[in-house]
């Protein structure tokens, strides 16, 4: 972590520092800051800006120092920032740190920012290197962290605490951490007349030790518009359902592996991502502009078109001749040619050619790529010299003509995909140029009338001449059903999403006017007057990962992995009061254990695959990492790449947790105690110690002939794998409860830096 950051992206506040300006000036920084070296000097321009604020640097430093136990610290940074569009108040910022005298490594740092007019704390961060080795067992829980955040706000700023509300609807309660290096962030949203204003609020981060490490405030001077008449919440709920426009599309979870890697799922994403005007009840875009009616996309071609050519792949000479026939290259000469036999666009053979204009500068070029078999053009771009690209006011081009030209170009250059590309009416977006000198036309891909998971075409035109400057098509290699499967209706999708949704009234910040936007760009110090509009919005059930509705099964699925999700995980019927309730809950929380008839079954033997999966999740910071694809050869014959455990097992092999020389793993069979001990020792990184079994002594009488004697002694000496005084039972099965206890002890010992030295001393 950097010892000092001049300004973070968020803002912080403390009302206890709302001292009268006179009192602030009366105190000297030396009186409150302890040992502080001479502060850095400010330049002339900054000094001029500071003369317009109420608090001097010295007065602000006095206030900031109250948050810093400055004994042994050095004041290393002082800066000033005037009010601007992003933060409507001037601000003094100070940084302190303490470094290791030997290597200059930062051991302790604080950064504090103060409102230069009111004396309020606006930003605070704290880093303590000595707390980086916090034992896992000493970390605070989410509930304790929440209490710490609430207490910090109430103590240091009771005024803003009274004007905010802890908002938990948008973020799920985080899972129990698997490492001590954890932090929790809480959002306290500004409330105006009992209505939330999500654009303003306080963010507080609490670290694993239960200490507030970051505190930030975003608070604008805003005029809140109150409608003459407001529709009720019940009316808003009805209107949301009536005006929802569910979009059916094919989705491709980006972390899918194995046989389903390129298989799409027909799904509905959240149809309630719009606002409602609290007075009229009309649907609004996120920019608070009226939402237009969606129009049916228009196909570039009503039927599949014949390819430009067929036969064998073009040779280089043939590709060059093909390019001359297809593009206007009279003024250009070939500079480079590249051939990819299995290019990423569906593993197709592709030629890439680059041309330079004869006698011109290097930025006058044409680049093209096309399919070596069909001739389909995948990309085309034309560069111009800087003097040719002098910015000029864009002409008012005929958008309809540009759209027609774009569709004709696709039919001409990429005919085999023309019937899958559609013009989606985005007139409001496309009338304005994409850049000051370009217009963009976008085409989307549809399969049997449904938006595809990937595929698009972008065409950029010169805003002065209408000349095509760039053309790009992009298609993935996923597969689609030949016909649309049976699916939920739009109304059924709306109701399914509505069951996971809740409407609420909020204030939303109005976008800047054109005049204000221009002033902000020209004058960074300009602070426009902002207005907030009363609207209704919908929030959906928070979950630890994005999700969508499977249109064929009605199930919720992860947008990343495609796995079926339970948004409301049921509580096991047989867990409450069990001696290992806490430990079993942890494994269930991370889906390493599944319920059977609503029960966790604590005494059921845990399988080899389940234990491997849980260990790998812990080693991957609490996440599944399905990074192994079809190209990965399975290590074990009974764990193919379509197995639930494939990625976990292959990851365990790569980390040395498993013996890759075995032909089978038997992932669905119970793991025995000896195997568990060896796996734990490998995960701790102590496997090399087991190469010297003679150095270990143990009172256990039944491990003399075991394969993993040293691992058993290490695991039991550390207190990770439970045992009695003399018997270990190496071949005994491991119950789910014992596995959960073992896993929790593993997490605790893993974070103990003295574990290995203690073991060697024993």
């Amino acid at each position: 972590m950097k010892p000092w950051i001049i300004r973070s992206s968020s803002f912080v506040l403390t009302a206890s520092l709302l001292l009268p300006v006179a009192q602030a000036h009366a105190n000297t920084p030396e009186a409150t800051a302890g040992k502080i070296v001479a502060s850095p000097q400010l330049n002339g321009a900054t000094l001029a800006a500071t003369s317009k604020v109420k608090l001097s640097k010295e007065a602000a430093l006095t206030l900031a120092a109250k948050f810093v136990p400055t004994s042994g610290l050095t004041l290393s940074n002082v800066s000033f920032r005037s009010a601007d569009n992003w933060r409507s108040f001037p601000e003094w910022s100070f940084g302190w740190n303490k470094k290791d005298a030997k290597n200059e490594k930062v051991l302790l740092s604080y950064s504090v920012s103060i409102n230069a007019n009111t004396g309020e704390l606006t930003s605070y961060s704290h880093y303590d290197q000595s707390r980086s080795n916090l034992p896992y067992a000493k970390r605070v829980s989410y509930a304790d962290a929440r209490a710490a955040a609430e207490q910090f706000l109430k103590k240091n700023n009771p005024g803003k605490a009274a004007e905010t509300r802890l908002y938990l609807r948008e973020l799920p309660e985080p899972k129990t951490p698997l490492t001590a290096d954890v932090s929790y962030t809480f959002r306290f949203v500004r409330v105006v007349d009992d209505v939330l204003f999500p654009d303003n609020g306080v963010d507080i981060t609490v670290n694993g030790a239960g200490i507030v490490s970051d505190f930030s405030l975003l608070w604008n001077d805003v005029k809140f518009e109150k409608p003459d008449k407001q529709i009720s919440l019940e009316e808003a709920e009805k209107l949301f359902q009536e005006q929802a426009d569910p979009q059916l599309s094919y989705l491709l979870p980006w972390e899918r592996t194995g046989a389903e890697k390129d298989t799409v799922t027909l799904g509905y994403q959240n149809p309630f991502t719009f606002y409602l005007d609290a007075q009229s009840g009309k649907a609004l875009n996120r920019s608070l502009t009226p939402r237009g009616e969606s129009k049916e996309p228009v196909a570039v071609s009503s039927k599949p078109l014949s390819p430009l050519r067929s036969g064998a792949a073009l040779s280089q000479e043939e590709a060059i001749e093909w390019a001359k026939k297809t593009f206007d290259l009279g003024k250009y000469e070939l500079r480079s040619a590249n051939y990819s036999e299995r290019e990423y666009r569906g593993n197709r053979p592709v030629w890439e050619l680059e041309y330079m204009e004869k006698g011109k500068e290097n930025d006058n070029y044409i680049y093209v790529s096309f399919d070596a078999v069909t001739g389909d053009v995948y990309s085309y771009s034309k560069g111009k010299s800087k003097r040719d690209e002098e910015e000029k006011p864009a002409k008012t081009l005929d958008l309809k003509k540009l759209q027609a030209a774009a569709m004709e170009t696709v039919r001409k250059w990429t005919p085999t995909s023309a019937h899958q590309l559609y013009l989606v009416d985005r007139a409001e977006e496309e009338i304005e140029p994409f850049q000051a000198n370009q217009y963009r036309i976008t085409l989307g891909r549809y399969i049997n009338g449904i938006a595809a998971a990937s595929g698009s075409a972008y065409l950029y035109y010169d805003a002065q001449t209408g000349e095509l400057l760039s053309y790009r098509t992009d298609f993935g290699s996923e597969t689609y059903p030949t016909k649309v499967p049976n699916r939920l209706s739009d109304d059924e999708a709306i109701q399914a999403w509505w069951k996971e949704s809740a409407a609420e009234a909020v204030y939303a910040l109005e976008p800047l006017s054109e005049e204000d936007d221009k002033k902000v760009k020209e004058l960074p110090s300009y602070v426009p007057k902002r207005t907030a509009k009363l609207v209704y919005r919908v929030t959906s059930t928070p979950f630890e990962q994005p999700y969508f509705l499977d249109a064929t099964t009605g199930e919720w699925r992860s947008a990343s992995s495609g796995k079926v999700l339970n948004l409301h995980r049921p509580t096991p019927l047989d867990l409450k009061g069990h001696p290992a309730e806490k430990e079993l809950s942890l494994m269930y929380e991370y889906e390493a254990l599944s319920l059977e008839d609503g029960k966790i079954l604590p005494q059921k033997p845990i399988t080899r695959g389940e234990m491997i999966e849980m260990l790998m999740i812990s080693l991957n910071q609490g996440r599944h990492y399905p990074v192994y694809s079809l190209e990965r050869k399975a290590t074990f014959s009974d764990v193919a790449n379509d197995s639930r455990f494939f990625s976990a097992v292959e990851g365990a092999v790569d980390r040395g947790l498993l013996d890759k020389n075995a032909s089978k793993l038997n992932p669905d069979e119970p793991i025995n105690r000896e195997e568990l001990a060896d796996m734990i020792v490998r995960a701790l990184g102590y496997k090399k110690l087991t190469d010297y079994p003679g150095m270990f002594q143990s009172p256990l009488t039944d491990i003399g002939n075991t394969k993993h004697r040293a691992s058993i002694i290490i695991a039991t000496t550390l207190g990770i794998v439970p045992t009695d005084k003399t018997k270990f039972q190496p071949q005994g099965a491991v119950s789910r409860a014992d596995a959960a206890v073992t896993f929790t002890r593993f997490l605790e010992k893993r974070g103990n830096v003295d574990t290995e030295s203690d073991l060697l001393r024993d």
Side-chain angles (χ1 to χ4, degrees), residues 322-386:
W322 183 263
K324 289 180 180 179
K325 295 178 182 179
T326 307
F327 309 101
D328 182 9
L329 302 173
K331 298 180 181 180
Y332 295 81
E333 57 186 0
L334 183 67
R335 180 180 181 181
S336 65
N338 181 65
Y339 177 70
S340 299
E341 186 173 345
R342 296 176 66 84
E343 207 255 1
Y344 73 91
R345 297 178 181 89
N347 292 324
R348 299 287 300 173
V350 172
W351 276 106
E352 297 175 338
L353 306 179
E354 185 175 5
Y355 294 82
M356 302 301 300
E357 188 171 355
K358 300 172 184 177
K360 290 285 187 176
E361 298 176 3
N362 289 337
D363 47 2
N364 286 63
Y365 69 88
I366 288 180
Y367 166 83
V368 298
S369 69
F370 48 88
D371 193 293
V373 173
T374 67
D376 273 3
V377 176
Y378 291 132
S379 61
Y380 164 90
S381 60
K382 183 177 183 179
K384 296 182 178 181
S385 63
K386 293 181 180 179

Side-chain angles (χ1 to χ4, degrees), residues 169 172-173 495-502 539-545 547 554-557 564-572 588-589 591 595 598:
R169 175 69 184 173
E173 181 174 330
Q495 292 310 308
W497 272 103
W498 188 251
K499 290 179 181 178
E500 300 296 336
S501 301
T539 59
S540 298
T541 299
F543 202 70
E544 61 257 21
Q545 54 187 296
Y547 57 90
E555 298 170 305
W556 299 105
R557 290 188 180 273
V564 174
L565 302 176
N566 190 333
L567 302 184
H568 307 277
R569 189 176 293 117
T571 301
Y588 174 57
E589 188 177 5
E591 301 177 15
L595 301 184

